[in-house]
Amino acid sequence: MDIYASTLSPAVDIGAGCYLLVIALLSIVGNLLVLMMAFKKSSRMKPPELLSVNLAVTDLGAAVTMYPLAVASAWSHHWLGGDVTCLYYGLAGFFFGVASIMNLTILAIVRFVVSLNLQSPSEKISWKKVKMLCIWIWLYALIWALFPVLGWGRYGPEPFGLSCSLAWGEMKDEGFSFVISMFSFNLAMPSVVILCCYFGISIKLYFTYKKTMTNSCHVPNVIKLHRRLLIIAVLISVGFIGCWAPYGLVSLWSIFHDSSTIPPEVSLLPCMFAKSSTVYNPLIYYIFSQSFKREVKQLRGMCLGFDSCRVSNGINDNTIYMVTTDTKPKIAAQSTLQEITETKTVSLG
C-alpha cells in the first residue's frame, strides 16, 4: 500500500489544491504588506512591535516553505518526494505552528505588562528584551520540531495522503508522552496564559475607565487606544487558536481511537482550516487599523500612479499596528494632540 497516495477523489484533490493556492497567495501578499509597512516605519517602531513583525515572519515562512509543495501534491493526486519531503513538511509545519502560538503568548504577556500603567509614556519593554524574546521563540519552536527527528515523537503522512504532520495514529504507545507534553506546553498552557493576560487587561481597562468617568465625562484617548488594541490582539489570538482547535481534536481522536474510522474527507477539512490561520492577521490589521489601511491604500495608489493617501490627525486614525504618525500637531490644539502623541507609545506588540 502506497502511504503517499491520495485517498481522496481527483476532484477533491484539485479543489484542495486550488484552495491552498488561494490561501498561499493571500498569506504571502498580506504578510509581505505587514513587513513592508514595518520596514517603512522601522525608525519609529517601538520595541513591542517587533513581536508583531515576528508573527508576520512566521506566517510568511509557513506559506512560502510549505504551501507550494502541498498544492503540487494535491494536483498530482500523490504526495511528491516521499519520505524526505514528508519529514521536511511535517517539521516545517510543527516548527512554524509552535513559533506562532508562542509568539502570541509572549504578545499577550507584553500587552499585559504595558497595560499595567496605561498613562505612562515610558518604555516598559526594551529593544534588548524584545529581541531576546524573539530569539527564545524561534529556539523553543526549533527544539520541539526536532524532538520527533531525534526519536521522541514521529512525523508521517496524514490519513488522506496529501499532507504530512505528526504521525498521531502511530504514537499511541511509545510516543504518548510526547503527545501529552506537546498539547500541554504548546496548546493548553499558552491558551490559558493568553486568556488570563487579556482578561487582566480587560479588568484593568474597566477599572481605569470607571475611575476616569467619576472625575470627568471625557474618556481619555489612551483608554480608547488600549480598547482597540485589545480587540485586535484578542481577534488574532482567537483566530489562530480557533483555526487549529478542530485539527487538534481530530488528532486527539487519532491517538485514542483508530484513525481509519475517520473518513478522509473529514480529516481533510480541519487540516485545510488550520492552514488558513496565516491569512487572518493581515486581514484583521486592515479591518481594524486605520493607519495600516491607509498605508496599504497609499502603496496601491503609488503602484497605480496616483496618490490615495489622506493624512488625518483624528483619533480614529491613530496607529494600531504602527505607533507613530508623520503629522505635527497644530498649535491651537497642542495640548490635546500632545496627549494623542503620548498614547502612541502604546503598542500592539
Side-chain angles (χ1 to χ4, degrees):
M1 180 180 179
D2 187 356
I3 61 174
Y4 295 117
S6 174
T7 58
L8 304 169
S9 67
V12 174
D13 286 339
I14 294 175
C18 292
Y19 169 82
L20 287 176
L21 179 61
V22 172
I23 291 297
L25 292 175
L26 291 177
S27 180
I28 292 173
V29 172
N31 287 288
L32 276 178
L33 284 174
V34 172
L35 295 178
M36 289 173 62
M37 300 303 109
F39 179 77
K40 184 177 179 181
K41 302 290 185 179
S42 58
S43 62
R44 287 164 291 175
M45 281 180 59
K46 299 302 177 182
E49 292 177 321
L50 184 60
L51 291 168
S52 292
V53 176
N54 199 48
L55 185 60
V57 172
T58 61
D59 290 340
L60 181 63
V64 171
T65 61
M66 299 174 60
Y67 295 171
L69 178 59
V71 171
S73 296
W75 287 347
S76 299
H77 199 58
H78 189 279
W79 180 257
L80 302 177
D83 293 338
V84 175
T85 58
C86 185
L87 175 63
Y88 156 77
Y89 192 89
L91 189 150
F94 192 33
F95 172 68
F96 286 114
V98 172
S100 293
I101 195 166
M102 295 313 299
N103 204 117
L104 291 171
T105 306
I106 298 299
L107 269 172
I109 296 173
V110 169
R111 288 277 300 121
F112 179 74
V113 172
V114 170
S115 70
L116 291 179
N117 192 349
L118 296 180
Q119 296 180 328
S120 173
S122 60
E123 296 289 352
K124 302 173 184 62
I125 306 294
S126 65
W127 279 108
K128 182 178 179 180
K129 291 179 180 178
V130 172
K131 290 177 180 179
M132 292 299 295
L133 287 173
C134 290
I135 294 174
W136 177 85
I137 289 170
W138 290 109
L139 288 177
Y140 180 88
L142 180 61
I143 290 172
W144 273 98
L146 289 177
F147 278 147
V149 179
L150 300 176
W152 193 36
R154 186 179 301 174
Y155 291 117
E158 298 277 11
F160 52 89
L162 288 180
S163 180
C164 290
S165 181
L166 292 170
W168 306 104
E170 300 177 17
M171 293 188 291
K172 289 181 171 63
D173 298 319
E174 68 275 6
F176 190 73
S177 61
F178 171 79
V179 174
I180 297 301
S181 300
M182 191 278 296
F183 271 99
S184 299
F185 291 104
N186 297 313
L187 183 60
M189 186 179 69
S191 299
V192 171
V193 171
I194 290 172
L195 178 63
C196 291
C197 286
Y198 288 137
F199 181 76
I201 294 172
S202 301
I203 295 298
K204 176 67 175 179
L205 284 175
Y206 173 76
F207 282 108
T208 302
Y209 172 79
K210 295 288 288 185
K211 180 179 179 180
T212 302
M213 295 307 292
T214 58
N215 301 323
S216 174
C217 296
H218 176 68
V219 180
N221 290 319
V222 67
I223 296 181
K224 295 179 181 179
L225 283 176
H226 267 281
R227 186 167 55 197
R228 294 171 63 189
L229 289 168
L230 179 62
I231 292 173
I232 291 178
V234 169
L235 286 175
I236 289 174
S237 300
V238 169
F240 182 85
I241 296 175
C243 284
W244 283 95
Y247 181 79
L249 292 175
V250 172
S251 300
L252 283 176
W253 176 272
S254 300
I255 291 292
F256 296 103
H257 301 82
D258 186 1
S259 59
S260 62
T261 60
I262 304 176
E265 292 79 8
V266 175
S267 63
L268 170 69
L269 292 178
C271 185
M272 296 295 103
F273 190 51
K275 294 182 187 302
S276 67
S277 63
T278 58
V279 176
Y280 294 145
N281 294 350
L283 184 61
I284 292 172
Y285 290 140
Y286 187 82
I287 293 175
F288 289 92
S289 172
Q290 295 296 326
S291 61
F292 183 73
K293 182 186 295 185
R294 189 170 61 245
E295 293 287 350
V296 172
K297 289 182 177 179
Q298 182 183 14
L299 180 63
R300 183 182 63 184
M302 293 173 59
C303 295
L304 296 177
F306 60 90
D307 186 7
S308 62
C309 179
R310 178 181 62 84
V311 179
S312 173
N313 262 332
I315 184 65
N316 290 332
D317 284 336
N318 276 339
T319 299
I320 294 297
Y321 174 68
M322 293 299 156
V323 295
T324 57
T325 58
D326 296 329
T327 56
K328 296 181 179 180
K330 296 181 179 180
I331 298 178
Q334 183 173 1
S335 60
T336 301
L337 292 176
Q338 180 64 30
E339 179 186 1
I340 297 176
T341 303
E342 291 178 353
T343 63
K344 296 184 192 318
T345 60
V346 179
S347 170
L348 172 62

